[in-house]
Amino acid sequence: MSDADTDAGAPDGGGETDHHAFWADDVADEVEARDPTEPIVVKGGVSPSGIPHLGHFNEIMRGYYVAAVLRERGHEVRQVFTSDDRDALRKVPRTLADADWNLVGLGEVDAGALGRNLGVPYTDIPDPFDECDHHSYGEHFTALLAESADRIGVPVEMLSNTAMYEAGEFDDVVHHVLSDADHAREVLSAYQDGVDDSYVPFMAQCSACHKLTTDVRAVDLDARTVDYVCSGLEAGGQQIEGCGHEGTATFREGKLPWRFEWPAQWQVLGVDFEPFGKDHAEGSWPSGRDIAENVLGIEPPVPMTYEWFTLNGEPLSSSSGNVVTVDEVLELLEPEVLRYFFVRNPKKAKDFDVSRLDQLVDEFDRFERVYFGEVDDDTIDAFAERAYPFVVDDVRAERVRIPYTFAAVLGMTDDPELREQMARNEGHLTDDTPEWAVDAALARVEKARAWAERMDNEYNYRLQADLPETDFEAGMADALDALADFVEAGHAGEEIQGQMYELPEAYGVETGDFFNAGYRLFFDADSGPRLGEFLGELDQEFVVRRLRRDG
C-alpha cells in the first residue's frame, strides 16, 4: 500500500460539493436532496462469472458507507446487491473457488461441462463442485459473495436476477420497453452499434438447449410472450451458436439486454443510490441514464464513480485468475483494516499489494491513533474523526494494536506466553491493559504469521522452543557467553546488534560464523532476521539461557 492517501478522506461523492470531511456524507446529501421515499435503496451488483474477489467489494463497501451515514441520519435504508445470474456464461474462467474457498484450476472440475454451457444463464449451469448443496453455478458463486460480505460485517441483501424474473418482477418493465420498441431502439442506437429495425430489446431463453438468444422474431404484448429462433448470441466478439430451435418464451423466460436491464433494476427496486466503476461511467451509465429518463420515464439514482484498484500492480480478473478473496485477506488482516482500505477516497486509484500489507496496517493504525488524539495530523484529523466509527465495530479507546511487523516477529514462536512477554518487553502491553485488549492485540500475531508464510519474507522463521543440537569450538562458546553477559546487562536490540560485530574479533572467530551460531541457537537455520535487534525483543532471561546453551 505504497500509495498511502494523505487525502484519504477527500470528499468526492457523486456531485460537486466539497464541504464534508468524509465522501459518504456528500453522497448522502445528494440522496437526501431528492427527498426519497423510505426505505432508501442503495444498490450494487455483479455477474457471478467466477471467483468473488476483492474487487467486487468496491460497490458493496462504497454502498455500505453511504447506507451507514444515511442510517445515522435517521433514515430507513435497504442495501441490496443484485446477482445478475441470468447473464450467460461467456467464457470459461481459469480458476474457480469451492465452497471452502479453495482456489482450483479447471483440471479439478469438469471443464468440458462448463464449455458446453457457454451461452447458458449461470442459474441453469450445474454447480461445478459435486460436494456442494448449491443448485447452480450462479448460486454457488453468489453464496460465496454473500458469505464474504457477512465476514466483513456488511448487512447487504443479496438478490437473484433470475428469481426476480421468474417471480414476474420485471414483467411490467419488459412490457413497457417492448411496447415502445421503436423509441427504445432509437435511444439505444446512440450508444451501441448494430441497432437496426430488426433489433428487439429482449433475449429469450431456449427451452431446448437453455441458451439465450437475441433472435426474437415476434412479440405478443397481450400474452406477454415472444417468438424466437435459437441462433445464440455474441459474446466477447465471438458468436456462441444456438441449437436452431424455434419456440415461444414468456417475459419470465428470458431477460433484457444489460443496457436496459440496469435501469429496469432501478425501477423495480426503487434504487436511490448506486456506485459503479469507471468502466460503467464511460459506457453503461450514459445509456442507462438516457433509457431511464426517456424510455422508462424514471429518475436514475444518484451515481458515484469509483476508481478500480489493482492487485500486486496488475488488474484483478476472475477469468485470468489474478484475484485475492475476502477469505484470503481476512487470514492476513482484521476486518476493520480491510474496511479501512475501502473508506479512503474512492476517486483515487490504489494498489492492494499483498507483499506490503504491513504498510496498509500501519496506515490504519495511525488513522486510529489520530481519531483518539494520540497523533496530530491536520491532513486527516477531520476525516478520521468522522469516518473511524464507521470502520470499526466498537469504538474502544483501550484497544491496543501491536505493529504488524512486530506481530510477525512474535509469530516466530508458537509459545503464547513468550509472545505476550515479548509484547510487554516492548511496551505494547502494560499492567493497565485490560485482558480483552491483550487478547485482541495478540490475535493479530496469527494473521501476521500467515502473511510472513504466504510471502516467505524476512519474518518467515521459527524460533526454536527447545535448544538445537550444537557443538561449538571454545572461542565461539566464549564469544556466545560474552554476548549473554551483554544481554543480561540490559542492553537494547541495536546495542546487541553492534556488539555482535565487536565480539568475534575479541575471541578470534569470524563474524559470519558468529552470526551463524546465533541463528543455529535460535532458529536452527543458517539465516534469519537482524539477530541483535530480534534478541532485544525477546524475553531477556530466555535469550541469556539460550546463548549459554542452558535450554
Side-chain angles (χ1 to χ4, degrees):
M1 269 36 63
S2 57
D3 61 336
D5 291 7
T6 56
D7 62 337
D12 202 347
E16 301 300 324
T17 56
D18 194 35
H19 63 282
H20 285 303
F22 185 22
W23 56 266
D25 279 305
D26 287 319
V27 179
D29 285 352
E30 290 189 72
V31 174
E32 286 184 324
R34 296 189 177 194
D35 193 23
T37 58
E38 299 201 12
I40 295 173
V41 177
V42 173
K43 178 190 170 299
V46 70
S47 181
S49 57
I51 301 169
H53 57 69
L54 201 60
H56 295 139
F57 281 79
N58 253 325
E59 283 183 42
I60 290 179
M61 295 307 300
R62 307 308 181 191
Y64 165 73
Y65 287 119
V66 173
V69 167
L70 287 167
R71 289 188 181 107
E72 183 195 52
R73 296 183 184 187
H75 298 287
E76 181 184 356
V77 181
R78 182 187 182 200
Q79 184 180 359
V80 302
F81 198 81
T82 57
S83 174
D84 299 335
D85 50 15
R86 186 153 275 191
D87 289 0
L89 176 66
R90 295 173 177 268
K91 59 181 177 180
V92 178
R94 297 180 188 176
T95 309
L96 299 170
D98 66 19
D100 295 321
W101 288 102
N102 299 305
L103 302 188
V104 302
L106 290 179
E108 300 179 60
V109 298
D110 188 350
L114 291 177
R116 291 189 295 273
N117 279 291
L118 291 175
V120 175
Y122 296 113
T123 41
D124 286 286
I125 300 172
D127 188 334
F129 298 97
D130 295 333
E131 73 278 7
C132 293
D133 295 328
H134 305 122
H135 296 99
S136 69
Y137 183 109
E139 183 181 331
H140 177 95
F141 290 104
T142 300
L144 291 181
L145 189 68
E147 180 184 315
S148 297
D150 184 63
R151 291 198 64 191
I152 299 180
V154 176
V156 64
E157 180 183 349
M158 301 297 297
L159 300 176
S160 163
N161 246 15
T162 295
M164 293 169 66
Y165 274 109
E166 291 177 345
E169 294 181 47
F170 284 105
D171 279 5
D172 289 344
V173 68
V174 171
H175 185 279
H176 180 86
V177 170
L178 295 181
S179 66
D180 197 14
D182 289 340
H183 183 47
R185 280 191 286 267
E186 179 185 355
V187 173
L188 182 61
S189 64
Y191 305 95
Q192 183 172 305
D193 295 333
V195 179
D196 55 23
D197 291 343
S198 66
Y199 176 85
V200 178
F202 189 76
M203 305 167 70
Q205 185 175 9
C206 178
S207 59
C209 70
H210 305 297
K211 293 180 180 178
L212 293 175
T213 179
T214 56
D215 192 353
V216 174
R217 301 294 178 88
V219 177
D220 187 333
L221 291 172
D222 292 332
R224 297 197 168 196
T225 62
V226 300
D227 295 335
Y228 65 86
V229 175
C230 184
S231 303
L233 73 161
E234 184 180 337
Q238 295 182 339
Q239 183 69 22
I240 298 175
E241 297 298 330
C243 68
H245 175 74
E246 298 182 18
T248 300
T250 69
F251 292 173
R252 302 182 184 192
E253 296 168 331
K255 71 184 295 293
L256 290 163
W258 165 246
R259 288 184 185 270
F260 287 95
E261 186 173 79
W262 196 21
Q265 291 174 340
W266 299 339
Q267 179 171 336
V268 169
L269 297 171
V271 179
D272 297 294
F273 165 65
E274 180 158 6
F276 45 81
K278 61 182 181 180
D279 54 338
H280 285 327
E282 298 162 359
S284 304
W285 168 252
S287 64
R289 178 178 55 195
D290 201 348
I291 289 168
E293 293 172 345
N294 296 306
V295 177
L296 303 183
I298 64 169
E299 183 179 27
V302 170
M304 186 190 76
T305 305
Y306 56 78
E307 266 286 352
W308 297 330
F309 65 87
T310 52
L311 173 63
N312 305 325
E314 298 292 333
L316 286 103
S317 171
S318 295
S319 58
S320 69
N322 186 43
V323 297
V324 64
T325 67
V326 168
D327 185 74
E328 288 179 285
V329 171
L330 292 184
E331 290 179 356
L332 313 176
L333 300 174
E334 297 98 331
E336 55 265 39
V337 179
L338 183 53
R339 289 197 290 266
Y340 169 75
F341 180 77
F342 289 105
V343 84
R344 302 179 302 174
N345 185 357
K347 296 291 185 175
K348 184 171 182 178
K350 304 171 184 67
D351 183 49
F352 193 88
D353 186 346
V354 179
S355 70
R356 301 306 304 159
L357 283 186
D358 55 316
Q359 293 182 356
L360 176 62
V361 178
D362 289 347
E363 190 180 323
F364 165 78
D365 289 353
R366 191 172 193 280
F367 166 76
E368 186 172 62
R369 291 196 299 273
V370 169
Y371 174 80
F372 285 111
E374 299 169 13
V375 173
D376 291 325
D377 185 344
D378 57 9
T379 66
I380 64 168
D381 277 348
F383 168 62
E385 181 178 358
R386 179 66 182 132
Y388 176 78
F390 296 106
V391 173
V392 297
D393 291 328
D394 191 11
V395 176
R396 305 181 77 170
E398 304 92 344
R399 195 181 304 278
V400 173
R401 304 287 184 184
I402 295 175
Y404 195 68
T405 51
F406 181 64
V409 170
L410 299 186
M412 294 180 188
T413 175
D414 291 325
D415 185 342
E417 293 183 1
L418 182 55
R419 287 178 177 180
E420 181 174 339
Q421 186 58 52
M422 289 166 66
R424 291 185 182 278
N425 290 348
E426 290 297 301
H428 298 300
L429 303 176
T430 69
D431 292 341
D432 295 328
T433 306
E435 185 175 349
W436 67 264
V438 172
D439 293 340
L442 292 172
R444 178 175 279 184
V445 174
E446 288 302 324
K447 297 184 181 296
R449 176 64 198 163
W451 171 68
E453 291 177 340
R454 179 182 176 118
M455 302 313 304
D456 192 22
N457 57 26
E458 64 267 34
Y459 302 101
N460 190 22
Y461 295 94
R462 302 301 284 174
L463 181 65
Q464 298 298 301
D466 298 318
L467 177 66
E469 291 186 13
T470 57
D471 184 16
F472 299 124
E473 297 287 340
M476 182 68 72
D478 290 342
L480 291 170
D481 288 339
L483 182 61
D485 293 340
F486 189 81
V487 172
E488 192 171 33
H491 293 284
E494 283 288 353
E495 296 171 308
I496 297 172
Q497 183 75 8
Q499 187 72 359
M500 292 191 70
Y501 285 99
E502 300 290 337
L503 287 173
E505 183 177 358
Y507 287 90
V509 298
E510 294 292 329
T511 301
D513 292 340
F514 187 54
F515 274 88
N516 183 265
Y519 289 131
R520 281 292 165 197
L521 283 173
F522 290 93
F523 301 107
D524 198 19
D526 294 323
S527 62
R530 284 175 59 85
L531 188 57
E533 295 177 14
F534 176 74
L535 298 183
E537 294 169 347
L538 291 175
D539 177 69
Q540 183 187 98
E541 183 180 344
F542 169 79
V543 173
V544 170
R545 284 201 317 271
R546 182 60 55 90
L547 288 172
R548 289 174 176 160
R549 286 84 66 207
D550 290 336

